[in-house]
Amino acid sequence: EYSWYAWSTVWDQTLEDFAAGDDTVRPRDAALDRCWELGPACAGITCVWQHFGPVGWRTCTVRSGRLVPTPGGGTGSIVKNHADINASDHNSLLDAKWGYILQEGIAPVWVSEFGFA
């Protein structure tokens, strides 16, 4: 399955290990940035969903390993869709997956919505 996005959210699952031994708790965006810095050593981040105050992912850690079920809910992981690349390679990956359709004039490409959080 092809995904435009570099990340996918998986509810009620945790990545089993800390990436590169880094167990620092960070806000979501800082954890995502750190995961990109770690490159292939980081498979994604695991976070606790906060239901009170400012709702959302507030306490996250950079992780590696496989996804394992998290009993009780309230936790989730944001995993790299393309763990074997770094941020600078993302555009090349997109071109290889579907960008060539436009570049080689095979068919028009229409993007109806675009954005990154």
Side-chain angles (χ1 to χ4, degrees):
E1 175 185 337
Y2 175 72
S3 174
W4 171 264
Y5 299 103
W7 306 97
S8 293
T9 302
V10 182
W11 293 97
D12 299 326
Q13 294 187 50
T14 302
L15 288 160
E16 63 186 347
D17 300 311
F18 292 111
D22 185 343
D23 62 355
T24 304
V25 175
R26 298 174 170 88
R28 184 193 73 136
D29 289 347
L32 291 171
D33 289 344
R34 176 67 177 139
C35 190
W36 273 124
E37 289 172 11
L38 291 172
C42 182
I45 65 174
T46 292
C47 304
V48 175
W49 183 262
Q50 183 173 309
H51 295 283
F52 52 89
V55 174
W57 302 112
R58 297 286 176 246
T59 55
C60 303
T61 53
V62 293
R63 310 294 281 207
S64 64
R66 62 187 177 89
L67 287 165
V68 293
T70 307
T75 349
S77 294
I78 302 173
V79 297
K80 287 181 181 176
N81 286 332
H82 314 291
D84 59 337
I85 64 164
N86 60 40
S88 63
D89 293 333
H90 191 66
N91 287 343
S92 297
L93 177 73
L94 296 177
D95 285 344
K97 295 289 187 176
W98 67 269
Y100 72 91
I101 296 171
L102 180 63
Q103 290 175 344
E104 294 178 15
I106 295 171
V109 174
W110 178 62
V111 178
S112 65
E113 190 173 322
F114 180 80
F116 291 96

Coordinates of all heavy atoms in Angstrom, one line a residue, residues 7-18 23-35 42-51 54-64 67-80:
W7 N 4.0 9.2 8.0 CA 3.6 8.6 9.3 C 2.2 8.0 9.2 O 1.4 8.5 8.5 CB 3.6 9.7 10.4 CG 4.9 10.4 10.5 CD1 5.2 11.7 10.0 CD2 6.1 10.0 11.2 NE1 6.5 12.0 10.3 CE2 7.0 11.1 11.1 CE3 6.4 8.9 12.0 CZ2 8.3 11.0 11.7 CZ3 7.7 8.8 12.5 CH2 8.6 9.9 12.4
S8 N 2.0 7.0 10.0 CA 0.6 6.4 10.2 C 0.4 6.3 11.7 O 1.3 5.9 12.4 CB 0.5 5.1 9.5 OG 0.6 5.2 8.1
T9 N -0.8 6.5 12.1 CA -1.2 6.4 13.5 C -1.8 5.0 13.7 O -2.7 4.6 13.0 CB -2.2 7.5 13.9 OG1 -1.6 8.8 13.7 CG2 -2.6 7.4 15.4
V10 N -1.4 4.3 14.8 CA -1.9 3.0 15.1 C -2.4 3.1 16.6 O -1.6 3.3 17.5 CB -0.8 1.9 15.0 CG1 -1.3 0.6 15.3 CG2 -0.2 2.0 13.6
W11 N -3.6 2.9 16.8 CA -4.2 3.0 18.2 C -4.0 1.7 18.9 O -4.0 0.6 18.4 CB -5.7 3.3 18.1 CG -5.9 4.7 17.6 CD1 -6.2 5.0 16.3 CD2 -5.8 5.9 18.3 NE1 -6.3 6.4 16.2 CE2 -6.1 7.0 17.4 CE3 -5.5 6.3 19.6 CZ2 -6.1 8.3 17.8 CZ3 -5.5 7.6 20.0 CH2 -5.8 8.6 19.1
D12 N -3.9 1.8 20.3 CA -3.8 0.6 21.2 C -2.7 -0.3 20.9 O -2.8 -1.5 21.1 CB -5.2 -0.1 21.2 CG -6.3 0.8 21.7 OD1 -6.0 1.6 22.6 OD2 -7.4 0.6 21.2
Q13 N -1.6 0.2 20.3 CA -0.4 -0.6 20.1 C 0.9 0.3 20.4 O 0.9 1.5 20.2 CB -0.3 -1.0 18.6 CG -1.4 -2.0 18.3 CD -1.2 -2.6 16.9 OE1 -0.1 -3.1 16.6 NE2 -2.2 -2.5 16.1
T14 N 1.9 -0.4 20.9 CA 3.1 0.2 21.4 C 4.3 -0.4 20.6 O 4.3 -1.6 20.4 CB 3.3 0.0 22.9 OG1 2.2 0.5 23.6 CG2 4.5 0.6 23.4
L15 N 5.2 0.4 20.2 CA 6.5 -0.1 19.7 C 7.3 -0.6 20.9 O 7.4 0.1 21.9 CB 7.2 1.0 18.9 CG 6.6 1.3 17.5 CD1 7.0 2.7 17.0 CD2 6.9 0.3 16.5
E16 N 7.8 -1.7 20.8 CA 8.3 -2.4 22.0 C 9.6 -1.9 22.6 O 9.8 -2.2 23.8 CB 8.4 -3.9 21.7 CG 9.4 -4.3 20.6 CD 9.4 -5.8 20.3 OE1 8.8 -6.6 21.1 OE2 10.0 -6.1 19.3
D17 N 10.5 -1.2 21.9 CA 11.7 -0.8 22.5 C 11.9 0.7 22.4 O 11.4 1.3 21.5 CB 12.9 -1.5 21.9 CG 12.8 -3.0 22.0 OD1 12.6 -3.5 23.2 OD2 12.9 -3.7 21.0
F18 N 12.8 1.3 23.2 CA 13.2 2.7 23.0 C 14.2 2.7 21.9 O 15.1 1.8 21.8 CB 13.8 3.2 24.3 CG 12.9 3.4 25.4 CD1 13.0 2.6 26.6 CD2 11.9 4.4 25.3 CE1 12.1 2.8 27.6 CE2 11.0 4.5 26.4 CZ 11.1 3.7 27.5
D23 N 15.1 7.2 26.2 CA 13.8 7.1 26.9 C 13.2 8.4 27.3 O 12.4 8.5 28.2 CB 13.9 6.1 28.1 CG 14.9 6.6 29.1 OD1 15.6 7.6 28.9 OD2 15.0 5.9 30.2
T24 N 13.7 9.5 26.7 CA 13.3 10.9 27.1 C 11.8 11.0 26.7 O 11.5 10.7 25.5 CB 14.2 11.9 26.4 OG1 15.5 11.7 26.7 CG2 13.7 13.3 26.8
V25 N 11.0 11.6 27.6 CA 9.6 11.9 27.2 C 9.5 13.3 26.6 O 10.1 14.2 27.1 CB 8.7 11.8 28.5 CG1 7.3 12.2 28.2 CG2 8.8 10.4 29.1
R26 N 8.9 13.3 25.4 CA 8.8 14.6 24.7 C 7.3 14.8 24.2 O 6.6 13.9 24.1 CB 9.6 14.5 23.4 CG 11.1 14.3 23.7 CD 11.8 14.1 22.3 NE 13.3 14.1 22.4 CZ 14.0 13.1 22.7 NH1 13.5 11.9 22.9 NH2 15.3 13.2 22.8
P27 N 7.0 16.1 23.9 CA 5.7 16.3 23.2 C 5.8 15.7 21.8 O 6.9 15.4 21.3 CB 5.7 17.9 23.1 CG 6.7 18.4 24.0 CD 7.7 17.3 24.2
R28 N 4.6 15.4 21.2 CA 4.5 14.7 20.0 C 5.5 15.3 18.9 O 6.2 14.5 18.3 CB 3.1 14.8 19.4 CG 2.9 13.9 18.2 CD 1.6 14.2 17.5 NE 1.7 15.6 16.9 CZ 1.3 15.8 15.7 NH1 0.6 14.9 15.0 NH2 1.4 17.1 15.2
D29 N 5.4 16.5 18.6 CA 6.2 17.1 17.5 C 7.7 16.9 17.7 O 8.5 16.6 16.8 CB 5.9 18.5 17.2 CG 4.5 18.7 16.6 OD1 3.9 17.6 16.1 OD2 4.0 19.8 16.5
A30 N 8.1 17.2 19.0 CA 9.6 17.0 19.3 C 10.0 15.5 19.2 O 11.1 15.2 18.7 CB 9.8 17.5 20.7
A31 N 9.1 14.6 19.6 CA 9.4 13.2 19.4 C 9.5 12.8 18.0 O 10.4 12.0 17.6 CB 8.4 12.4 20.1
L32 N 8.6 13.3 17.1 CA 8.7 13.0 15.7 C 10.0 13.6 15.1 O 10.7 12.9 14.3 CB 7.5 13.6 14.9 CG 6.1 13.0 15.2 CD1 5.0 13.8 14.6 CD2 6.1 11.5 14.7
D33 N 10.4 14.8 15.5 CA 11.6 15.3 15.0 C 12.8 14.5 15.4 O 13.7 14.2 14.6 CB 11.8 16.8 15.5 CG 10.9 17.8 14.9 OD1 10.3 17.5 13.8 OD2 10.8 18.9 15.4
R34 N 12.8 14.0 16.7 CA 13.9 13.2 17.2 C 14.0 11.9 16.4 O 15.1 11.4 16.1 CB 13.8 13.0 18.7 CG 14.8 12.1 19.3 CD 16.2 12.6 19.2 NE 17.1 11.7 19.9 CZ 18.3 11.4 19.5 NH1 18.8 12.1 18.4 NH2 19.1 10.6 20.1
C35 N 12.8 11.3 16.1 CA 12.8 10.0 15.4 C 13.4 10.2 14.0 O 14.2 9.3 13.6 CB 11.3 9.6 15.3 SG 11.1 7.9 14.7
C42 N 15.0 4.4 14.4 CA 13.7 4.7 15.0 C 12.6 4.3 14.1 O 12.5 4.7 12.9 CB 13.6 6.2 15.3 SG 12.1 6.7 16.1
A43 N 11.6 3.5 14.6 CA 10.5 3.0 13.8 C 9.3 3.9 14.0 O 8.4 3.9 13.2 CB 10.1 1.6 14.2
G44 N 9.3 4.8 15.0 CA 8.2 5.7 15.2 C 8.2 6.1 16.7 O 9.2 6.0 17.4
I45 N 7.1 6.7 17.1 CA 6.9 7.1 18.5 C 5.7 6.5 19.1 O 4.8 6.1 18.4 CB 6.8 8.6 18.6 CG1 5.6 9.2 18.0 CG2 8.1 9.3 18.0 CD1 5.3 10.7 18.2
T46 N 5.8 6.3 20.4 CA 4.6 5.8 21.2 C 4.2 6.9 22.2 O 5.1 7.5 22.8 CB 4.9 4.5 21.9 OG1 5.1 3.4 20.9 CG2 3.8 4.0 22.8
C47 N 2.9 7.1 22.2 CA 2.4 8.3 23.0 C 1.2 7.8 23.9 O 0.6 6.9 23.6 CB 1.9 9.4 22.1 SG 3.2 10.0 21.0
V48 N 1.0 8.6 24.9 CA -0.2 8.5 25.7 C -1.1 9.6 25.3 O -0.7 10.8 25.3 CB 0.2 8.6 27.2 CG1 -1.1 8.5 28.1 CG2 1.1 7.5 27.6
W49 N -2.4 9.3 25.1 CA -3.4 10.2 24.7 C -4.0 10.9 26.0 O -4.4 10.2 26.9 CB -4.5 9.6 24.0 CG -5.6 10.5 23.5 CD1 -6.8 10.8 24.1 CD2 -5.5 11.3 22.3 NE1 -7.5 11.7 23.4 CE2 -6.7 12.1 22.3 CE3 -4.6 11.5 21.3 CZ2 -7.0 13.0 21.2 CZ3 -4.9 12.4 20.3 CH2 -6.0 13.1 20.3
Q50 N -3.9 12.2 26.0 CA -4.4 13.0 27.1 C -5.8 13.4 26.9 O -6.2 14.0 25.9 CB -3.5 14.2 27.4 CG -3.9 15.0 28.6 CD -2.9 16.1 28.8 OE1 -1.7 15.8 28.9 NE2 -3.4 17.3 29.0
H51 N -6.7 13.0 27.8 CA -8.2 13.3 27.7 C -8.6 14.5 28.4 O -9.8 14.9 28.4 CB -9.0 12.1 28.2 CG -8.8 10.9 27.4 ND1 -9.4 10.6 26.2 CD2 -8.0 9.8 27.6 CE1 -9.0 9.5 25.7 NE2 -8.1 8.9 26.5
P54 N -5.4 20.3 27.6 CA -5.2 20.3 26.1 C -5.2 18.8 25.7 O -4.3 18.1 26.0 CB -3.9 20.9 25.9 CG -3.4 21.4 27.2 CD -4.3 20.8 28.3
V55 N -6.3 18.4 24.9 CA -6.4 17.1 24.5 C -5.4 16.7 23.4 O -5.1 17.6 22.6 CB -7.8 16.8 24.0 CG1 -8.0 15.4 23.4 CG2 -8.9 17.0 25.1
G56 N -4.8 15.5 23.4 CA -4.0 15.1 22.4 C -2.8 14.3 22.9 O -2.7 13.9 24.0
W57 N -1.8 14.1 22.0 CA -0.6 13.4 22.3 C 0.3 14.3 23.0 O 0.8 15.3 22.5 CB 0.1 12.9 21.0 CG -0.6 12.0 20.1 CD1 -1.1 12.4 18.9 CD2 -1.0 10.7 20.3 NE1 -1.7 11.3 18.3 CE2 -1.7 10.2 19.2 CE3 -0.9 9.8 21.4 CZ2 -2.2 9.0 19.1 CZ3 -1.4 8.5 21.3 CH2 -2.1 8.1 20.1
R58 N 0.5 14.1 24.3 CA 1.4 15.0 25.1 C 2.7 14.3 25.6 O 3.7 15.0 25.7 CB 0.6 15.5 26.3 CG -0.6 16.3 26.0 CD -0.2 17.7 25.5 NE -1.4 18.4 25.1 CZ -1.6 18.8 23.8 NH1 -0.8 18.5 22.9 NH2 -2.7 19.5 23.5
T59 N 2.6 13.0 25.9 CA 3.9 12.4 26.4 C 4.2 11.3 25.4 O 3.5 10.2 25.3 CB 3.6 11.8 27.8 OG1 2.5 11.0 27.8 CG2 3.4 13.0 28.8
C60 N 5.3 11.5 24.7 CA 5.7 10.5 23.7 C 7.2 10.2 23.9 O 8.0 11.0 24.4 CB 5.6 11.1 22.3 SG 3.9 11.7 21.9
T61 N 7.6 9.0 23.4 CA 9.0 8.5 23.4 C 9.3 7.9 22.0 O 8.4 7.4 21.3 CB 9.2 7.4 24.5 OG1 8.3 6.4 24.3 CG2 9.1 8.0 25.9
V62 N 10.5 8.1 21.6 CA 11.0 7.5 20.3 C 11.2 6.0 20.5 O 11.7 5.6 21.5 CB 12.3 8.2 19.8 CG1 12.0 9.6 19.4 CG2 13.4 8.2 20.8
R63 N 10.8 5.2 19.5 CA 10.7 3.8 19.7 C 11.3 3.0 18.5 O 11.4 3.5 17.4 CB 9.3 3.3 19.9 CG 8.5 4.1 21.0 CD 9.1 3.9 22.4 NE 8.6 2.6 22.9 CZ 8.5 2.3 24.1 NH1 8.7 3.2 25.1 NH2 8.1 1.1 24.5
S64 N 11.6 1.7 18.8 CA 12.0 0.8 17.7 C 11.3 -0.5 18.0 O 10.6 -0.7 19.0 CB 13.5 0.7 17.7 OG 13.9 0.1 18.9
L67 N 5.3 -3.6 16.7 CA 4.1 -3.2 17.4 C 3.6 -4.3 18.2 O 3.5 -5.4 17.7 CB 3.1 -2.7 16.4 CG 3.4 -1.3 15.7 CD1 2.4 -1.1 14.5 CD2 3.2 -0.2 16.7
V68 N 3.2 -4.0 19.5 CA 2.6 -5.0 20.3 C 1.3 -4.4 20.9 O 1.3 -3.2 21.1 CB 3.5 -5.5 21.5 CG1 4.7 -6.2 20.9 CG2 4.0 -4.3 22.3
P69 N 0.3 -5.2 21.1 CA -1.0 -4.7 21.7 C -0.8 -4.0 23.0 O 0.0 -4.5 23.8 CB -1.9 -5.9 21.8 CG -1.3 -6.9 20.9 CD 0.2 -6.6 20.8
T70 N -1.5 -2.9 23.3 CA -1.4 -2.3 24.6 C -2.8 -2.4 25.2 O -3.8 -1.8 24.8 CB -1.1 -0.8 24.4 OG1 0.0 -0.6 23.6 CG2 -1.0 -0.1 25.7
P71 N -2.9 -3.2 26.3 CA -4.2 -3.4 26.9 C -4.6 -2.1 27.7 O -3.8 -1.4 28.1 CB -3.9 -4.5 27.9 CG -2.5 -4.8 28.0 CD -1.8 -4.0 26.9
G72 N -5.9 -1.9 27.7 CA -6.4 -0.7 28.4 C -6.6 0.5 27.6 O -7.3 1.5 28.1
G73 N -6.0 0.6 26.4 CA -6.2 1.8 25.6 C -5.5 3.0 26.1 O -4.8 3.0 27.1
G74 N -5.7 4.1 25.4 CA -5.1 5.4 25.8 C -3.7 5.6 25.3 O -3.1 6.6 25.5
T75 N -3.2 4.6 24.6 CA -1.9 4.7 24.1 C -2.0 4.4 22.6 O -2.8 3.7 22.1 CB -0.9 3.6 24.6 OG1 -1.5 2.9 25.7 CG2 0.4 4.1 25.0
G76 N -1.0 4.9 21.9 CA -1.0 4.7 20.4 C 0.4 5.0 19.9 O 1.3 5.5 20.7
S77 N 0.7 4.6 18.7 CA 2.0 4.8 18.1 C 1.8 5.5 16.8 O 0.8 5.3 16.1 CB 2.7 3.5 17.9 OG 3.0 2.9 19.1
I78 N 2.8 6.3 16.5 CA 2.8 7.0 15.2 C 4.1 6.4 14.5 O 5.2 6.6 15.0 CB 2.9 8.5 15.3 CG1 1.7 9.0 16.1 CG2 3.0 9.2 13.9 CD1 1.7 10.5 16.4
V79 N 3.9 5.6 13.5 CA 5.0 4.8 12.9 C 5.4 5.4 11.5 O 4.5 5.9 10.8 CB 4.6 3.3 12.8 CG1 4.4 2.7 14.2 CG2 3.4 3.1 12.0
K80 N 6.7 5.2 11.2 CA 7.1 5.6 9.9 C 6.6 4.7 8.9 O 6.6 3.5 9.0 CB 8.7 5.5 9.9 CG 9.4 6.6 10.6 CD 10.9 6.4 10.4 CE 11.7 7.4 11.2 NZ 13.2 7.1 11.1

